[in-house]
């Protein structure tokens, strides 16, 4: 009996600090953001209960929908940009030669650099006057392509997608390589004996065998897009004229620039709901093809 | 959704004896050249940053792609002093070390308890920690800000250290739990027969054994804490408490600033992470992928 009590004492005292820290700083804020969302509050003074007004206002605001659309552009860019590149590279870079390891390291490198620095570097690349992209275009005779990459509202969402893709291929590459290496080598040998061509081998064996991994990668792309905040905040701040607004920059600007804490909280709650819908929806869509 | 466990990233993903050499066909040479170009294109923006950080402003504008005509090492000393990068560097060190210490202690203890001991509500508690991995960090900024304002810890080191550690806990617990599956339970039983209590077992058996797992947590935590921007942006206002990414962001509009100073300041922020990366790449790749579900 004393033994059981000792276990209980250890478990309670051992778990308590981590659990309290985690609950207070991760889980409770989510509940609170739903709660604050029901109030009109400027951060100081009295908060007045307004029910679902904030939520309704967000859903009526065209900027909110534009931000959501921009988030979806980032999701699409990630899924259609990062995953195919990572998949192709993983098929080529399966061997652990020195050269292949070098290429993997290079592709992974941007992952360890602060998004602030990445955003600033790409800001210099796209800069209308000193930007090296325009200098390159000028030098190779494509002067007509020169433009204000971050200022032109028709193209700037695509401009900001490029660094998002560039910086995040590494992890998917490593995930795919390890998934491919877990395919029993007999399957590749068998495919060769049967005379299956490489493309068929890829389509009939590799893709189905790593389908679960691809599903995880798609979920990561979706949740990653909701984190693109840092990069885009640094490059454009959501502008010009809110053309590159994301849900997170929309939330940030409403809360900390115009001090509408209640409204910002409501948007935060909507971000959680939207991300859960996207993740669950993508899983349901892909279930049919699972093996 | 299946989580990617560190075990699925087999050792051969990263290290395998050089494959038996075969004569390369022309096609393969072409492929390797393309790979090399791709790899260089990927790291070029970073190389460009380092090279530019040694240029004078005039040199930078006149020859954006060339090597510096004169290597201006004083850009670094100027950035350190004028731009207050020294202060920011010290803040980043303090915040990163504080968060790491908290993450390591709590993560290892919790990971041990949740993976090795049996008790009621274990599944619920584990579930809570997994749930946290699905939550977009940015959606907690507003309520966290309000809460910390009420607790009067905004604009202190604690306003970064506490949430950093809290958000890193699931990853740390996950890594420790995965690592301990490879440790035989007999070790703990033997220690218990020798008269050790649970604390004794934790301190004398588990902690020393879990050092490799703790190393992985430290490296990943270092990169996350050192590079974080969103939390620092919202929770820190006081100039003297700004971390490196936050102080750099002041230069980010790119107009009318001293480019070479900015480039040097950015390099000062990046160099520690690049060094850590070059030393621990394999561990970083494995760990980041394992913790990627949280991201």
């Amino acid at each position: 009996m004393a033994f059981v009590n000792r276990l209980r004492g250890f478990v309670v005292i051992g778990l308590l600090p981590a659990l309290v820290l985690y609950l207070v700083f991760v889980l409770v804020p989510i509940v609170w953001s739903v709660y604050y969302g029901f109030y009109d509050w400027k951060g100081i003074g009295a908060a007045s209960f307004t029910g679902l007004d904030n939520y309704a206002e967000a859903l009526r605001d065209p900027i909110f929908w534009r931000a959501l659309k921009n988030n979806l552009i980032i999701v699409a860019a990630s899924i259609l940009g990062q995953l195919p590149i990572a998949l192709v590279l993983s098929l080529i870079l399966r061997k652990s030669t020195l050269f292949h390891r070098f290429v993997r390291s290079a592709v992974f490198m941007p992952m360890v650099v602060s998004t602030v620095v990445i955003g600033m570097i790409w800001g210099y690349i796209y800069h209308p006057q000193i930007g090296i992209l325009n200098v390159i275009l000028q030098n190779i005779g494509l002067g007509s392509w020169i433009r204000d990459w971050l200022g032109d509202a028709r193209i700037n969402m695509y401009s900001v997608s490029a660094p998002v893709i560039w910086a995040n291929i590494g992890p998917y590459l490593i995930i795919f390589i390890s998934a491919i290496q877990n395919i029993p080598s007999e399957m590749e040998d068998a495919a060769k004996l049967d005379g299956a061509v490489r493309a068929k081998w890829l389509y009939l064996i590799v893709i189905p065998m790593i389908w679960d991994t691809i599903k995880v990668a798609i979920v990561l792309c979706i949740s990653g897009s909701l984190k693109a905040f840092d990069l885009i905040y640094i490059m454009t701040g959501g502008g010009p004229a809110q053309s590159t607004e994301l849900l997170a920059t929309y939330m940030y600007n409403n809360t900390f620039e115009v001090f509408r804490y209640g409204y910002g909280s409501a948007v935060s709650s909507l971000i959680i709901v939207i991300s859960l819908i996207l993740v669950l929806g993508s899983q349901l869509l892909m279930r049919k093809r699972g093996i | 959704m299946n989580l990617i466990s560190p075990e699925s990233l087999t050792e051969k993903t990263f290290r395998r004896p050089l494959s038996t050499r075969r004569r390369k066909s022309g096609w393969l040479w072409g492929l390797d050249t393309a790979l090399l170009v791709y790899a260089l294109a990927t790291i070029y923006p970073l190389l460009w940053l380092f090279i530019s950080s040694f240029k004078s402003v005039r040199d930078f504008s006149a020859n954006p792609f060339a090597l510096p005509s004169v290597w201006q090492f004083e850009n670094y000393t100027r950035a350190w002093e004028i731009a207050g990068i020294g202060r920011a560097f010290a803040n980043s060190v303090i915040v990163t070390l504080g968060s790491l210490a908290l993450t390591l202690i709590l993560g290892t203890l919790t990971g041990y308890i949740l993976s090795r001991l049996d008790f009621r509500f274990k599944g619920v508690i584990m579930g809570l920690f997994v749930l946290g991995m699905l939550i977009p960090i940015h959606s907690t900024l507003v309520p966290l800000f309000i809460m910390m304002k009420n607790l009067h810890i905004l604009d202190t080191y604690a306003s970064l250290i506490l949430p950093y550690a809290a958000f890193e806990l699931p990853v740390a617990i996950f890594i420790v739990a995965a690592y301990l599956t490879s440790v035989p339970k007999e070790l703990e039983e033997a220690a218990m027969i020798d008269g050790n209590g649970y604390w004794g077992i934790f301190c004398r058996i588990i902690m020393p054994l879990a050092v490799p797992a703790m190393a992985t947590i430290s490296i990943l935590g270092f990169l996350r804490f050192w590079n974080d921007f969103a939390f620092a942006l919202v929770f820190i206002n006081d100039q003297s408490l700004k971390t490196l990414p936050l102080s750099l962001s002041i230069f980010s509009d790119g107009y009318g600033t001293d480019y070479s100073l900015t480039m040097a300041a950015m390099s000062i922020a990046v160099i520690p992470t690049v060094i850590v990366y070059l030393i621990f790449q394999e561990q970083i790749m494995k760990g980041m992928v394992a913790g990627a579900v949280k991201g």
Side-chain angles (χ1 to χ4, degrees):
Chain A
M1 203 57 212
F3 189 70
V4 173
N5 280 335
R6 261 166 81 186
L7 172 66
R8 189 176 296 160
F10 176 68
V11 166
V12 170
I13 296 170
L15 281 184
L16 213 55
L19 210 53
V20 168
L21 183 74
Y22 182 73
L23 287 176
V24 169
F25 286 93
V26 179
L27 292 184
V28 170
I30 292 162
V31 181
W32 274 31
S33 81
V34 177
Y35 170 79
Y36 285 130
F38 294 124
Y39 286 84
D40 187 19
W41 190 42
K42 299 227 170 296
I44 42 166
S48 61
F49 183 80
T50 54
L52 288 169
D53 281 7
N54 284 326
Y55 294 93
E57 186 188 337
L59 295 177
R60 274 198 308 266
D61 185 352
I63 305 296
F64 175 84
W65 292 101
R66 186 193 293 165
L68 177 58
K69 184 184 139 214
N70 286 342
N71 263 97
L72 294 177
I73 290 177
I74 300 281
V75 172
S78 305
I79 293 176
L80 302 176
Q82 286 161 8
L83 298 192
I85 295 174
L87 193 57
V88 169
L89 283 176
S90 68
L91 289 168
I92 307 172
L93 293 171
R94 283 182 295 153
K95 306 239 161 51
S96 265
T97 62
L98 206 58
F99 176 65
H100 283 183
R101 293 221 304 271
F102 164 75
V103 177
R104 284 187 218 164
S105 302
V107 173
F108 202 86
M109 178 84 95
M111 280 304 292
V112 304
V113 176
S114 162
T115 45
V116 170
V117 172
I118 289 179
M120 287 171 70
I121 293 178
W122 281 80
Y124 285 133
I125 291 174
Y126 286 136
H127 198 286
Q129 282 90 45
I130 61 156
I132 55 176
L133 180 57
N134 281 345
V135 173
I136 293 175
L137 289 173
Q138 184 74 57
N139 288 346
I140 60 173
L142 291 171
S144 61
W145 288 23
I146 287 177
R147 60 203 63 212
D148 185 356
W149 297 96
L150 294 175
D152 184 339
R154 282 165 304 174
I155 54 162
N156 53 11
M157 267 320 292
Y158 305 102
S159 308
V160 295
S161 296
V164 174
I165 295 174
W166 169 77
N168 294 302
I169 290 174
Y172 300 108
L173 173 61
I174 305 300
I175 293 177
F176 287 148
I177 288 177
S178 77
I180 290 173
Q181 280 173 346
N182 285 338
I183 299 176
S185 59
E186 297 83 50
M187 299 203 68
E188 188 174 356
D189 299 339
K192 274 182 188 150
L193 281 179
D194 291 347
V197 288
R198 245 184 143 61
K200 250 187 179 165
W201 170 71
L202 174 69
Y203 187 71
L204 292 175
I205 295 177
V206 176
I207 301 283
M209 288 292 285
I210 65 167
W211 186 247
D212 277 337
T213 309
I214 294 177
K215 283 203 271 192
V216 172
I218 289 177
V219 172
L220 294 179
C221 280
I222 294 170
S223 62
S225 87
L226 293 154
K227 287 185 314 196
F229 170 79
D230 301 21
L231 254 178
I232 291 178
Y233 180 85
I234 291 294
M235 282 192 287
T236 66
Q242 298 182 298
S243 55
T244 55
E245 199 82 87
L246 296 182
L247 291 172
T249 56
Y250 180 70
M251 173 218 64
Y252 178 86
N253 289 334
N254 269 298
T255 312
F256 300 108
E257 300 292 329
V258 294
F259 302 109
R260 298 187 59 196
Y261 289 88
Y263 189 66
S265 300
V267 175
S268 300
S269 313
L270 290 173
I271 292 177
I272 297 174
V273 173
I274 289 166
S275 70
L276 289 179
I277 290 174
L278 287 177
V279 168
L280 293 177
S282 70
Q283 291 298 297
L284 283 177
L285 274 179
M286 286 183 295
R287 202 154 65 181
K288 275 188 226 132
R289 277 208 58 186
I291 51 168
Chain B
M1 189 173 71
N2 56 334
L3 303 179
I4 300 150
S5 73
E7 284 77 48
S8 72
L9 298 164
T10 49
E11 204 53 33
K12 67 181 174 180
T13 309
F14 302 98
R15 251 192 225 291
R16 204 162 51 169
L18 298 183
S19 63
T20 46
R21 287 174 193 280
R22 271 176 299 172
R23 181 164 289 207
K24 284 187 173 178
S25 64
W27 186 80
L28 277 178
W29 278 115
L31 190 63
D32 279 358
T33 313
L35 281 177
L36 186 65
V37 170
Y38 181 81
L40 293 178
T42 301
I43 42 179
Y44 181 74
L46 289 174
L47 287 177
W48 178 77
L49 168 67
F50 288 128
I51 293 169
S52 305
S53 70
F54 290 105
K55 289 179 178 174
S56 66
V57 176
R58 182 178 297 174
D59 200 8
F60 174 75
S61 316
N63 309 302
F65 300 107
L67 287 175
S69 47
V70 182
W71 291 76
Q72 306 266 344
F73 290 97
E74 65 269 27
N75 287 346
Y76 281 77
T77 47
R78 273 177 61 227
W80 192 268
E81 284 154 16
I82 301 172
I85 296 302
R87 181 73 242 171
F89 196 96
N91 288 334
S92 278
V93 170
I94 293 169
V95 169
T96 302
L97 289 183
S99 314
L100 272 184
L102 200 56
T103 309
L104 280 177
I105 295 168
L106 297 184
T108 314
L109 185 58
T110 313
Y112 165 61
I113 293 173
L114 287 177
S115 66
R116 301 293 265 207
L117 304 177
D118 273 317
F119 52 92
R120 275 211 297 175
F121 305 121
K122 180 171 145 163
V124 178
I125 294 172
M126 200 66 185
L128 282 179
F129 281 111
V130 174
L131 183 70
M133 294 184 170
L134 290 173
I135 292 159
I137 282 186
H138 295 108
S139 61
T140 60
L141 284 174
V142 182
L144 268 182
F145 175 85
I146 298 171
M147 190 176 76
M148 295 209 270
K149 194 172 171 180
N150 294 336
L151 295 173
H152 300 288
I153 55 172
L154 277 183
D155 264 330
T156 63
Y157 290 128
S159 68
L160 292 181
I161 291 173
L162 296 175
Y164 284 169
F167 277 91
E168 197 68 9
L169 269 179
V171 176
I173 292 169
F174 186 47
I175 291 174
V176 168
Y179 184 79
L180 287 181
T181 53
S182 64
V183 174
K185 281 219 155 151
E186 285 77 21
L187 275 175
E188 289 151 77
E189 283 159 15
M192 191 153 280
I193 290 165
D194 286 347
N196 282 295
Y198 287 100
W199 288 106
I201 292 173
F202 177 70
C203 296
R204 287 190 208 115
I205 312 281
I206 300 297
M207 290 258 270
L209 278 172
V211 165
M214 291 162 88
T216 304
I217 296 168
S218 308
I219 298 163
L220 293 182
F222 165 75
L223 292 174
R224 292 241 171 81
F225 306 150
W226 188 267
N227 289 334
D228 168 73
F229 173 64
F231 282 7
L233 173 70
V234 175
F235 304 146
I236 297 293
N237 225 335
D238 186 340
Q239 189 64 36
S240 65
L241 289 177
K242 287 189 171 171
T243 56
L244 270 172
L246 193 55
S247 334
L248 287 177
S249 68
I250 298 161
F251 297 111
S252 69
D253 65 4
Y255 294 90
T257 51
D258 186 332
Y259 296 121
S260 47
L261 202 67
T262 312
M263 295 286 195
M266 285 160 75
S267 301
I268 291 171
V270 168
I271 285 167
T273 61
V274 169
I275 291 173
V276 167
Y277 175 63
L278 292 179
I279 300 174
F280 299 109
Q281 336 189 2
E282 288 166 17
Q283 247 166 318
I284 291 173
M285 288 187 189
K286 268 195 223 183
M288 260 200 194
V289 172
V293 181
K294 184 201 180 326

